[in-house]
Coordinates of all heavy atoms in Angstrom, one line a residue:
L46 N 93.5 92.7 122.8 CA 93.0 92.6 124.1 C 94.2 92.6 125.1 O 94.1 93.2 126.2 CB 92.1 91.4 124.2 CG 91.4 91.3 125.6 CD1 90.5 92.5 125.9 CD2 90.5 90.0 125.5
Q47 N 95.2 91.8 124.8 CA 96.3 91.7 125.7 C 97.0 93.1 126.0 O 97.4 93.4 127.1 CB 97.3 90.7 125.2 CG 98.5 90.4 126.2 CD 98.0 89.8 127.5 OE1 96.9 89.1 127.6 NE2 98.8 89.9 128.5
A48 N 97.1 93.9 124.9 CA 97.7 95.2 125.1 C 96.9 96.0 126.1 O 97.5 96.8 126.9 CB 97.7 95.9 123.7
S49 N 95.6 95.9 126.1 CA 94.8 96.7 127.0 C 95.0 96.3 128.5 O 94.9 97.0 129.4 CB 93.3 96.7 126.7 OG 92.8 95.4 126.9
K50 N 95.4 95.0 128.6 CA 95.6 94.4 130.0 C 96.9 94.9 130.6 O 97.0 95.1 131.8 CB 95.5 92.9 129.9 CG 94.1 92.4 129.7 CD 94.2 90.9 129.6 CE 92.8 90.3 129.3 NZ 92.8 88.9 129.1
I51 N 97.9 95.1 129.7 CA 99.2 95.4 130.3 C 99.6 96.9 130.2 O 100.6 97.4 130.7 CB 100.3 94.6 129.6 CG1 100.4 94.9 128.1 CG2 100.1 93.1 129.8 CD1 101.6 94.2 127.4
S52 N 98.7 97.7 129.5 CA 99.0 99.1 129.3 C 98.5 99.9 130.5 O 97.5 99.6 131.2 CB 98.3 99.6 128.1 OG 98.5 101.0 128.0
S53 N 99.3 100.9 130.8 CA 98.9 101.9 131.9 C 97.9 102.9 131.4 O 97.4 103.7 132.1 CB 100.1 102.5 132.5 OG 100.8 103.3 131.5
E54 N 97.7 102.9 130.0 CA 96.9 103.9 129.4 C 95.4 103.4 129.3 O 95.2 102.2 129.3 CB 97.4 104.2 128.0 CG 98.7 104.8 127.9 CD 98.8 106.2 128.6 OE1 97.9 107.0 128.4 OE2 99.8 106.4 129.2
S55 N 94.5 104.3 129.2 CA 93.1 103.9 128.9 C 93.0 103.5 127.5 O 93.3 104.2 126.6 CB 92.2 105.1 129.2 OG 90.9 104.7 128.9
I56 N 92.5 102.3 127.2 CA 92.4 101.7 125.9 C 91.0 101.3 125.6 O 90.4 100.6 126.4 CB 93.4 100.5 125.7 CG1 94.8 101.0 125.8 CG2 93.1 99.8 124.4 CD1 95.8 99.9 125.7
E57 N 90.5 101.8 124.5 CA 89.2 101.3 124.0 C 89.4 100.5 122.7 O 90.0 101.0 121.8 CB 88.3 102.5 123.7 CG 86.9 102.0 123.2 CD 86.0 103.2 122.8 OE1 86.4 104.4 123.1 OE2 84.9 103.0 122.3
I58 N 89.0 99.3 122.7 CA 89.2 98.4 121.6 C 87.9 98.4 120.7 O 86.8 98.1 121.3 CB 89.6 97.0 122.0 CG1 90.9 97.0 122.8 CG2 89.6 96.0 120.8 CD1 91.2 95.7 123.4
K59 N 88.1 98.7 119.4 CA 86.9 98.7 118.5 C 87.1 97.4 117.7 O 87.9 97.4 116.7 CB 86.9 99.9 117.6 CG 86.8 101.2 118.2 CD 85.4 101.5 118.5 CE 85.3 103.0 119.0 NZ 84.0 103.3 119.4
N60 N 86.5 96.3 118.1 CA 86.6 95.1 117.4 C 85.5 95.0 116.3 O 84.5 94.3 116.5 CB 86.5 93.9 118.4 CG 86.9 92.6 117.7 OD1 87.4 92.5 116.6 ND2 86.6 91.5 118.5
S61 N 85.7 95.8 115.3 CA 84.7 96.0 114.3 C 85.3 96.0 112.9 O 86.5 96.3 112.8 CB 83.9 97.3 114.4 OG 83.4 97.4 115.7
R62 N 84.5 95.7 111.9 CA 85.0 95.9 110.5 C 85.2 97.4 110.3 O 84.4 98.2 110.6 CB 84.1 95.3 109.5 CG 84.0 93.7 109.7 CD 83.4 93.1 108.5 NE 84.1 93.3 107.3 CZ 85.1 92.7 106.8 NH1 85.6 91.7 107.5 NH2 85.6 93.0 105.6
V63 N 86.4 97.7 109.7 CA 86.7 99.1 109.5 C 85.7 99.8 108.6 O 85.4 101.0 108.8 CB 88.1 99.3 109.0 CG1 88.2 98.8 107.5 CG2 88.6 100.7 109.1
E64 N 85.0 99.1 107.7 CA 84.0 99.7 106.8 C 82.8 100.2 107.6 O 82.1 101.0 107.1 CB 83.6 98.7 105.8 CG 84.6 98.1 105.0 CD 85.1 96.7 105.5 OE1 85.3 96.6 106.7 OE2 85.2 95.8 104.7
T65 N 82.6 99.6 108.8 CA 81.4 100.0 109.5 C 81.6 101.2 110.5 O 80.6 101.7 111.1 CB 80.8 98.8 110.4 OG1 81.8 98.4 111.4 CG2 80.6 97.6 109.4
L66 N 82.8 101.6 110.7 CA 83.2 102.7 111.6 C 83.0 104.0 110.9 O 83.3 104.1 109.7 CB 84.6 102.5 112.1 CG 84.9 101.3 112.9 CD1 86.4 101.2 113.2 CD2 84.1 101.2 114.2
S67 N 82.5 105.0 111.6 CA 82.3 106.3 110.9 C 82.8 107.4 111.9 O 82.6 107.3 113.1 CB 80.9 106.6 110.6 OG 80.1 106.5 111.7
A68 N 83.5 108.3 111.3 CA 84.0 109.5 112.1 C 84.7 109.1 113.4 O 84.5 109.6 114.4 CB 82.9 110.4 112.4
V69 N 85.6 108.1 113.3 CA 86.4 107.6 114.4 C 87.8 108.3 114.4 O 88.4 108.5 113.4 CB 86.5 106.1 114.3 CG1 87.4 105.6 115.4 CG2 85.2 105.4 114.4
S70 N 88.2 108.6 115.6 CA 89.6 109.1 115.8 C 90.3 108.1 116.7 O 89.7 107.7 117.7 CB 89.6 110.5 116.3 OG 90.9 110.9 116.5
C71 N 91.5 107.8 116.5 CA 92.2 106.9 117.3 C 93.7 107.2 117.3 O 94.2 107.9 116.5 CB 92.0 105.4 116.9 SG 92.6 105.0 115.3
D72 N 94.4 106.6 118.2 CA 95.9 106.8 118.3 C 96.6 105.8 117.4 O 97.5 106.1 116.7 CB 96.4 106.6 119.7 CG 95.9 107.7 120.7 OD1 95.8 108.8 120.2 OD2 95.6 107.4 121.8
I73 N 96.2 104.5 117.4 CA 96.8 103.4 116.7 C 95.8 102.5 116.1 O 94.8 102.2 116.7 CB 97.7 102.6 117.7 CG1 98.8 103.5 118.4 CG2 98.4 101.4 117.0 CD1 99.5 102.8 119.5
V74 N 96.1 102.1 114.8 CA 95.3 101.1 114.1 C 96.2 99.8 114.1 O 97.4 99.9 113.6 CB 94.9 101.5 112.7 CG1 94.4 100.4 111.9 CG2 93.9 102.7 112.8
I75 N 95.7 98.7 114.5 CA 96.4 97.4 114.5 C 95.6 96.5 113.6 O 94.4 96.4 113.7 CB 96.5 96.8 115.9 CG1 97.3 97.8 116.8 CG2 97.2 95.5 115.8 CD1 97.3 97.4 118.2
S76 N 96.3 95.8 112.7 CA 95.7 94.9 111.8 C 96.6 93.6 111.6 O 97.8 93.7 111.5 CB 95.5 95.6 110.4 OG 95.0 94.7 109.5
R77 N 95.9 92.5 111.4 CA 96.6 91.3 111.1 C 95.9 90.5 110.0 O 94.7 90.3 110.1 CB 96.7 90.4 112.4 CG 97.3 89.1 112.2 CD 97.2 88.2 113.5 NE 97.2 86.8 113.1 CZ 96.1 86.1 112.8 NH1 94.9 86.7 112.8 NH2 96.2 84.9 112.5
A78 N 96.6 90.2 109.0 CA 96.0 89.4 107.9 C 94.7 90.0 107.3 O 93.7 89.3 107.2 CB 95.8 87.9 108.3
F79 N 94.7 91.3 107.1 CA 93.5 92.0 106.6 C 93.5 92.2 105.2 O 92.6 91.8 104.4 CB 93.3 93.2 107.5 CG 92.2 94.1 107.0 CD1 90.9 93.6 107.0 CD2 92.4 95.4 106.5 CE1 89.9 94.4 106.5 CE2 91.4 96.2 106.1 CZ 90.1 95.7 106.1
A80 N 94.5 93.0 104.7 CA 94.5 93.4 103.3 C 95.9 94.0 103.0 O 96.7 94.2 103.9 CB 93.4 94.5 103.0
D81 N 96.1 94.3 101.7 CA 97.4 94.9 101.4 C 97.4 96.4 101.9 O 96.4 96.9 102.2 CB 97.6 94.9 99.8 CG 96.5 95.7 99.1 OD1 96.7 96.9 99.0 OD2 95.5 95.1 98.7
L82 N 98.6 97.0 101.9 CA 98.7 98.3 102.5 C 97.8 99.4 101.9 O 97.2 100.1 102.6 CB 100.2 98.8 102.4 CG 101.2 98.1 103.3 CD1 102.6 98.7 103.1 CD2 100.8 98.2 104.8
S83 N 97.8 99.4 100.5 CA 97.0 100.4 99.8 C 95.5 100.3 100.2 O 94.9 101.3 100.5 CB 97.1 100.3 98.3 OG 98.4 100.8 97.9
S84 N 95.0 99.1 100.3 CA 93.6 98.9 100.7 C 93.4 99.3 102.1 O 92.4 99.9 102.5 CB 93.3 97.4 100.5 OG 93.3 97.0 99.2
I85 N 94.3 99.0 103.0 CA 94.2 99.4 104.4 C 94.1 100.9 104.5 O 93.2 101.4 105.2 CB 95.3 98.8 105.3 CG1 95.2 97.3 105.4 CG2 95.4 99.5 106.7 CD1 96.4 96.6 106.1
F86 N 95.0 101.6 103.8 CA 95.0 103.0 103.9 C 93.7 103.6 103.3 O 93.1 104.6 103.8 CB 96.2 103.6 103.1 CG 97.5 103.3 103.7 CD1 98.7 103.3 103.0 CD2 97.6 102.9 105.1 CE1 99.9 102.9 103.5 CE2 98.9 102.6 105.6 CZ 100.0 102.6 104.8
D87 N 93.2 103.0 102.2 CA 91.9 103.4 101.6 C 90.8 103.2 102.6 O 90.0 104.1 102.8 CB 91.6 102.6 100.4 CG 92.3 103.2 99.1 OD1 92.6 104.4 99.1 OD2 92.5 102.4 98.2
Y88 N 90.7 102.1 103.2 CA 89.7 101.8 104.2 C 89.7 102.7 105.4 O 88.7 103.1 106.0 CB 89.8 100.4 104.8 CG 89.2 99.3 103.9 CD1 90.0 98.2 103.5 CD2 87.9 99.3 103.4 CE1 89.5 97.2 102.7 CE2 87.4 98.3 102.6 CZ 88.2 97.2 102.2 OH 87.7 96.3 101.4
C89 N 90.9 103.2 105.7 CA 91.1 104.1 106.9 C 91.1 105.6 106.6 O 91.3 106.4 107.5 CB 92.4 103.7 107.6 SG 92.3 102.1 108.4
R90 N 90.7 105.9 105.4 CA 90.7 107.4 105.0 C 89.8 108.2 106.0 O 90.1 109.3 106.3 CB 90.1 107.5 103.6 CG 91.1 107.3 102.5 CD 90.4 107.6 101.2 NE 91.3 107.2 100.1 CZ 92.0 108.1 99.4 NH1 92.0 109.4 99.8 NH2 92.8 107.7 98.4
H91 N 88.7 107.6 106.5 CA 87.7 108.3 107.3 C 88.1 108.2 108.8 O 87.3 108.7 109.6 CB 86.3 107.8 107.1 CG 86.2 106.3 107.4 ND1 86.7 105.3 106.6 CD2 85.6 105.8 108.5 CE1 86.4 104.2 107.2 NE2 85.7 104.4 108.3
I92 N 89.2 107.6 109.1 CA 89.6 107.4 110.5 C 90.8 108.4 110.8 O 91.8 108.4 110.0 CB 90.1 106.0 110.8 CG1 88.9 105.0 110.6 CG2 90.7 105.8 112.2 CD1 89.2 103.6 110.8
G93 N 90.7 109.1 111.8 CA 91.8 110.0 112.2 C 92.8 109.2 113.0 O 92.6 109.0 114.2
V94 N 93.9 108.8 112.4 CA 94.9 108.0 113.0 C 96.0 109.0 113.5 O 96.7 109.6 112.7 CB 95.5 106.9 112.1 CG1 96.6 106.1 112.9 CG2 94.5 106.0 111.5
K95 N 96.1 109.2 114.8 CA 96.9 110.2 115.4 C 98.4 109.8 115.4 O 99.3 110.6 115.2 CB 96.5 110.5 116.8 CG 95.1 111.2 116.9 CD 94.7 111.4 118.3 CE 93.3 111.8 118.4 NZ 92.8 111.8 119.8
E96 N 98.7 108.5 115.7 CA 100.1 108.1 115.9 C 100.6 107.2 114.8 O 101.5 107.5 114.1 CB 100.3 107.4 117.2 CG 100.2 108.4 118.4 CD 100.5 107.7 119.7 OE1 101.4 106.8 119.7 OE2 99.9 108.1 120.7
K97 N 100.0 106.0 114.7 CA 100.6 105.0 113.7 C 99.7 103.9 113.4 O 98.7 103.6 114.1 CB 101.9 104.5 114.3 CG 101.8 103.7 115.6 CD 103.1 103.3 116.1 CE 103.3 103.7 117.5 NZ 104.7 103.4 118.0
F98 N 100.1 103.1 112.4 CA 99.5 101.8 112.1 C 100.6 100.8 112.5 O 101.8 100.9 112.3 CB 99.4 101.7 110.6 CG 98.3 102.5 110.0 CD1 98.5 103.9 109.7 CD2 97.0 102.0 109.6 CE1 97.5 104.6 109.1 CE2 96.1 102.7 109.1 CZ 96.3 104.1 108.8
L99 N 100.1 99.7 113.1 CA 100.9 98.5 113.4 C 100.3 97.4 112.6 O 99.2 96.9 113.0 CB 101.0 98.2 114.9 CG 101.7 99.2 115.8 CD1 101.6 98.9 117.2 CD2 103.2 99.3 115.4
L100 N 101.0 97.0 111.6 CA 100.4 96.0 110.7 C 101.3 94.7 110.6 O 102.4 94.8 110.2 CB 100.2 96.6 109.3 CG 99.5 98.0 109.3 CD1 99.5 98.6 107.9 CD2 98.1 97.8 109.7
L101 N 100.7 93.6 110.9 CA 101.4 92.3 110.8 C 101.3 91.8 109.4 O 100.2 91.7 108.8 CB 100.8 91.3 111.8 CG 101.1 91.6 113.3 CD1 100.3 92.8 113.8 CD2 100.8 90.4 114.1
K102 N 102.4 91.6 108.7 CA 102.5 91.3 107.3 C 103.3 90.0 107.1 O 104.2 89.7 107.9 CB 103.0 92.4 106.5 CG 102.3 93.7 106.6 CD 100.9 93.6 106.4 CE 100.4 94.0 105.0 NZ 99.1 93.6 104.7
G103 N 103.1 89.4 106.0 CA 103.8 88.2 105.6 C 105.0 88.5 104.7 O 105.4 89.6 104.6
R104 N 105.4 87.5 104.0 CA 106.6 87.6 103.2 C 106.5 88.6 102.0 O 107.5 89.0 101.5 CB 107.1 86.2 102.7 CG 106.2 85.5 101.7 CD 106.7 84.2 101.2 NE 107.0 83.3 102.3 CZ 106.4 82.1 102.4 NH1 105.6 81.7 101.6 NH2 106.8 81.4 103.4
A105 N 105.3 89.0 101.6 CA 105.1 89.9 100.5 C 105.2 91.4 101.0 O 104.8 92.2 100.2 CB 103.8 89.6 99.8
Y106 N 105.6 91.6 102.2 CA 105.6 93.0 102.7 C 106.3 94.0 101.9 O 105.9 95.1 101.7 CB 106.0 93.0 104.2 CG 107.5 92.9 104.4 CD1 108.3 94.0 104.5 CD2 108.1 91.6 104.4 CE1 109.7 93.9 104.6 CE2 109.5 91.5 104.5 CZ 110.3 92.7 104.7 OH 111.6 92.6 104.8
K107 N 107.5 93.6 101.3 CA 108.2 94.6 100.5 C 107.5 95.0 99.3 O 107.5 96.2 98.9 CB 109.6 93.9 100.1 CG 110.6 93.8 101.2 CD 111.9 93.2 100.7 CE 112.8 92.9 101.8 NZ 114.1 92.2 101.4
E108 N 106.9 94.1 98.6 CA 106.1 94.4 97.4 C 104.9 95.3 97.8 O 104.5 96.2 97.0 CB 105.6 93.1 96.7 CG 104.8 93.4 95.4 CD 105.5 94.2 94.4 OE1 106.8 94.2 94.3 OE2 104.9 94.9 93.6
E109 N 104.2 95.0 98.9 CA 103.1 95.8 99.4 C 103.6 97.3 99.6 O 102.9 98.2 99.3 CB 102.5 95.3 100.6 CG 101.7 94.0 100.4 CD 100.9 93.6 101.6 OE1 100.4 94.5 102.3 OE2 100.8 92.4 101.9
I110 N 104.8 97.4 100.2 CA 105.3 98.8 100.4 C 105.5 99.5 99.1 O 105.1 100.6 98.9 CB 106.6 98.7 101.2 CG1 106.3 98.3 102.7 CG2 107.3 100.1 101.2 CD1 107.5 97.9 103.5
V111 N 106.1 98.8 98.1 CA 106.4 99.4 96.8 C 105.1 99.8 96.1 O 105.0 100.9 95.6 CB 107.2 98.4 95.9 CG1 107.2 98.8 94.5 CG2 108.6 98.2 96.4
Q112 N 104.1 98.9 96.2 CA 102.8 99.2 95.5 C 102.1 100.4 96.2 O 101.5 101.3 95.6 CB 101.9 98.0 95.5 CG 102.4 96.9 94.6 CD 102.5 97.4 93.1 OE1 101.7 98.1 92.6 NE2 103.7 97.1 92.5
A113 N 102.1 100.4 97.6 CA 101.5 101.5 98.3 C 102.1 102.8 98.1 O 101.4 103.8 98.0 CB 101.5 101.1 99.8
R114 N 103.4 102.9 97.9 CA 104.1 104.1 97.7 C 103.7 104.8 96.3 O 103.9 106.0 96.1 CB 105.6 103.9 97.7 CG 106.1 103.7 99.2 CD 107.6 104.0 99.3 NE 108.1 103.6 100.6 CZ 108.1 104.3 101.7 NH1 107.4 105.5 101.7 NH2 108.6 103.9 102.8
K115 N 103.1 104.0 95.5 CA 102.6 104.6 94.2 C 101.4 105.6 94.5 O 101.2 106.5 93.7 CB 102.2 103.5 93.2 CG 103.3 102.7 92.7 CD 102.8 101.6 91.8 CE 104.0 100.8 91.3 NZ 103.5 99.6 90.5
H116 N 100.7 105.4 95.6 CA 99.5 106.1 95.8 C 99.5 106.9 97.2 O 98.7 107.7 97.4 CB 98.3 105.2 95.8 CG 98.1 104.5 94.5 ND1 97.7 105.0 93.4 CD2 98.4 103.2 94.2 CE1 97.7 104.2 92.4 NE2 98.2 103.0 92.9
W117 N 100.5 106.5 98.1 CA 100.5 107.0 99.4 C 101.9 107.5 99.8 O 102.9 106.8 99.4 CB 100.0 106.0 100.4 CG 98.6 105.5 100.2 CD1 98.2 104.5 99.4 CD2 97.5 106.1 100.7 NE1 96.9 104.4 99.4 CE2 96.4 105.4 100.2 CE3 97.2 107.2 101.5 CZ2 95.1 105.7 100.5 CZ3 95.9 107.5 101.8 CH2 94.9 106.8 101.3
L118 N 102.0 108.5 100.6 CA 103.2 108.9 101.2 C 103.2 108.4 102.7 O 102.2 108.6 103.3 CB 103.4 110.4 101.2 CG 103.4 111.1 99.8 CD1 103.3 112.6 100.0 CD2 104.7 110.7 99.1
F119 N 104.3 107.8 103.2 CA 104.3 107.4 104.6 C 105.7 107.0 104.9 O 106.6 106.8 104.1 CB 103.4 106.2 104.8 CG 103.7 105.0 103.8 CD1 104.5 104.0 104.2 CD2 103.0 104.9 102.6 CE1 104.8 102.9 103.4 CE2 103.3 103.8 101.8 CZ 104.2 102.8 102.2
K120 N 105.9 106.9 106.2 CA 107.2 106.5 106.8 C 106.9 105.1 107.4 O 105.9 104.8 108.0 CB 107.7 107.4 107.9 CG 108.1 108.8 107.4 CD 108.6 109.6 108.6 CE 108.9 111.0 108.0 NZ 109.3 111.9 109.1
V121 N 107.9 104.2 107.2 CA 107.7 102.8 107.7 C 109.0 102.3 108.4 O 110.1 102.6 107.9 CB 107.4 101.9 106.6 CG1 108.4 101.8 105.5 CG2 107.0 100.5 107.1
N122 N 108.8 101.7 109.6 CA 109.9 101.0 110.3 C 109.4 99.6 110.3 O 108.3 99.2 110.6 CB 110.0 101.5 111.7 CG 110.6 102.9 111.8 OD1 111.6 103.2 111.1 ND2 110.1 103.7 112.7
I123 N 110.4 98.7 110.0 CA 110.1 97.3 109.8 C 110.7 96.5 111.0 O 111.9 96.7 111.3 CB 110.6 96.7 108.5 CG1 110.0 97.5 107.3 CG2 110.4 95.2 108.4 CD1 110.7 97.3 106.0
H124 N 109.9 95.7 111.7 CA 110.3 95.0 112.8 C 110.1 93.5 112.6 O 109.1 93.1 111.9 CB 109.5 95.4 114.1 CG 109.5 96.8 114.4 ND1 110.5 97.4 115.1 CD2 108.7 97.8 114.1 CE1 110.3 98.7 115.2 NE2 109.2 99.0 114.6
D125 N 111.0 92.7 113.0 CA 110.8 91.2 112.9 C 109.7 90.7 113.8 O 109.5 91.2 114.9 CB 112.1 90.5 113.3 CG 113.2 90.7 112.3 OD1 113.0 90.9 111.1 OD2 114.4 90.6 112.7
S126 N 109.0 89.7 113.3 CA 107.9 89.1 114.0 C 108.6 88.0 114.9 O 109.6 87.4 114.6 CB 106.9 88.4 113.1 OG 106.1 87.6 113.8
I127 N 108.0 87.9 116.1 CA 108.5 86.8 117.0 C 107.7 85.5 116.8 O 108.1 84.5 117.4 CB 108.5 87.2 118.5 CG1 107.1 87.5 119.0 CG2 109.4 88.4 118.7 CD1 107.0 87.7 120.4
T128 N 106.7 85.6 116.0 CA 105.8 84.4 115.8 C 106.0 83.7 114.4 O 105.5 82.6 114.2 CB 104.4 84.7 116.0 OG1 104.0 85.7 115.1 CG2 104.1 85.2 117.4
S129 N 106.7 84.4 113.5 CA 106.8 83.9 112.1 C 108.1 84.3 111.6 O 108.5 85.5 111.5 CB 105.7 84.4 111.2 OG 105.9 84.1 109.9
I130 N 108.9 83.4 111.0 CA 110.2 83.7 110.4 C 110.0 84.6 109.2 O 110.9 85.4 108.9 CB 111.0 82.4 110.1 CG1 112.4 82.8 109.9 CG2 110.4 81.7 108.9 CD1 113.4 81.6 110.0
D131 N 108.9 84.5 108.5 CA 108.7 85.3 107.3 C 107.9 86.6 107.6 O 107.8 87.5 106.8 CB 107.9 84.5 106.3 CG 108.6 83.4 105.7 OD1 109.9 83.5 105.5 OD2 108.0 82.3 105.4
G132 N 107.4 86.7 108.8 CA 106.5 87.8 109.2 C 107.3 89.0 109.6 O 108.4 88.9 110.1
K133 N 106.6 90.1 109.4 CA 107.2 91.4 109.8 C 106.0 92.2 110.4 O 104.9 92.0 110.2 CB 107.7 92.2 108.6 CG 108.9 91.5 107.9 CD 110.1 91.5 108.8 CE 111.2 90.8 108.0 NZ 112.4 90.5 108.8
I134 N 106.4 93.2 111.3 CA 105.5 94.2 111.8 C 105.9 95.5 111.2 O 107.0 96.0 111.4 CB 105.5 94.2 113.3 CG1 105.1 92.9 113.9 CG2 104.5 95.3 113.8 CD1 105.3 92.7 115.4
L135 N 104.9 96.1 110.4 CA 105.2 97.4 109.8 C 104.6 98.5 110.8 O 103.4 98.5 111.1 CB 104.5 97.5 108.5 CG 104.9 96.4 107.5 CD1 104.3 96.7 106.1 CD2 106.4 96.3 107.3
E136 N 105.5 99.3 111.2 CA 105.1 100.5 112.0 C 105.1 101.7 111.1 O 106.1 102.1 110.6 CB 106.1 100.7 113.1 CG 105.8 101.9 114.0 CD 106.9 102.0 115.1 OE1 107.9 101.3 115.1 OE2 106.7 102.9 115.9
I137 N 103.9 102.2 110.8 CA 103.7 103.2 109.7 C 103.2 104.5 110.3 O 102.2 104.4 111.0 CB 102.8 102.6 108.6 CG1 103.5 101.4 108.0 CG2 102.6 103.7 107.5 CD1 102.7 100.7 106.9
T138 N 103.8 105.6 109.9 CA 103.4 106.9 110.4 C 103.3 107.8 109.2 O 103.7 107.6 108.1 CB 104.4 107.5 111.4 OG1 105.7 107.5 110.8 CG2 104.4 106.6 112.7
N139 N 102.6 109.0 109.5 CA 102.6 110.1 108.5 C 101.9 109.7 107.1 O 102.5 110.0 106.1 CB 103.9 110.7 108.2 CG 104.5 111.3 109.5 OD1 103.9 111.6 110.5 ND2 105.8 111.3 109.5
V140 N 100.8 109.0 107.2 CA 100.2 108.5 106.0 C 99.4 109.6 105.3 O 98.5 110.2 106.0 CB 99.3 107.3 106.3 CG1 98.5 106.8 105.0 CG2 100.1 106.1 106.9
K141 N 99.7 109.9 104.1 CA 99.0 110.9 103.3 C 98.8 110.4 101.9 O 99.7 109.8 101.3 CB 99.7 112.2 103.3 CG 99.9 112.8 104.6 CD 100.7 114.1 104.5 CE 100.9 114.8 105.9 NZ 101.9 114.2 106.7
P142 N 97.7 110.7 101.2 CA 97.5 110.3 99.8 C 98.5 111.1 99.0 O 98.8 112.3 99.3 CB 96.1 110.7 99.5 CG 95.4 111.2 100.7 CD 96.5 111.3 101.8
R143 N 99.1 110.4 98.0 CA 100.0 111.1 97.1 C 99.2 111.9 96.1 O 98.2 111.4 95.5 CB 100.8 110.0 96.4 CG 101.9 110.5 95.5 CD 102.7 109.4 94.9 NE 103.6 108.7 95.8 CZ 104.8 109.2 96.2 NH1 105.2 110.4 95.7 NH2 105.6 108.5 97.0
N144 N 99.6 113.1 95.9 CA 98.9 113.9 94.8 C 99.3 113.5 93.5 O 100.5 113.7 93.1 CB 99.1 115.4 95.1 CG 98.5 115.9 96.4 OD1 97.6 115.4 96.8 ND2 99.1 116.9 96.9
T145 N 98.4 112.8 92.7 CA 98.8 112.4 91.4 C 98.1 113.1 90.3 O 97.2 113.8 90.5 CB 98.5 110.9 91.3 OG1 97.1 110.7 91.5 CG2 99.3 110.0 92.1

């Protein structure tokens, strides 16, 4: 909600469970304490994410990346959290299922 207040862009916030959304297209998906990366990508298969995922993760973020790379191709930039010493913000782009 705060992002919509300070942005100069038009923002529509979908404060819904991702499983209930259908045929949605968006620029950015933001998640906090939701699920591991692979599960998030699975849940978002039906969502057209144009730009990126911004995912707040805890200390297990490295293992989540390793596990997700077994099933998904993606680029990730890791940013420090300002609210948690163990927390990170994963900025993820170009998510595609890995052909196995």
Side-chain angles (χ1 to χ4, degrees):
L46 185 59
Q47 186 62 23
S49 68
K50 291 178 183 176
I51 64 174
S52 176
S53 61
E54 300 295 320
S55 174
I56 294 177
E57 178 183 354
I58 297 170
K59 300 274 189 189
N60 190 10
S61 304
R62 294 196 56 88
V63 69
E64 307 93 313
T65 66
L66 298 173
S67 61
V69 174
S70 179
C71 64
D72 295 322
I73 300 171
V74 169
I75 300 171
S76 170
R77 178 184 151 273
F79 172 61
D81 63 83
L82 288 180
S83 288
S84 296
I85 291 171
F86 297 156
D87 277 333
Y88 281 125
C89 291
R90 280 182 186 261
H91 63 285
I92 296 175
V94 181
K95 296 176 191 171
E96 289 186 34
K97 62 182 129 186
F98 290 80
L99 293 175
L100 307 174
L101 288 74
K102 303 307 263 169
R104 66 176 59 117
Y106 75 95
K107 288 181 185 177
E108 181 58 27
E109 286 190 38
I110 292 170
V111 168
Q112 292 303 314
R114 288 199 188 278
K115 293 179 181 178
H116 304 284
W117 299 91
L118 299 170
F119 56 92
K120 293 181 182 176
V121 61
N122 288 318
I123 302 167
H124 306 276
D125 290 332
S126 169
I127 62 170
T128 59
S129 169
I130 196 159
D131 293 324
K133 300 292 180 188
I134 299 168
L135 304 185
E136 180 182 5
I137 299 176
T138 58
N139 302 335
V140 177
K141 295 179 181 80
R143 186 177 285 280
N144 295 332
T145 55

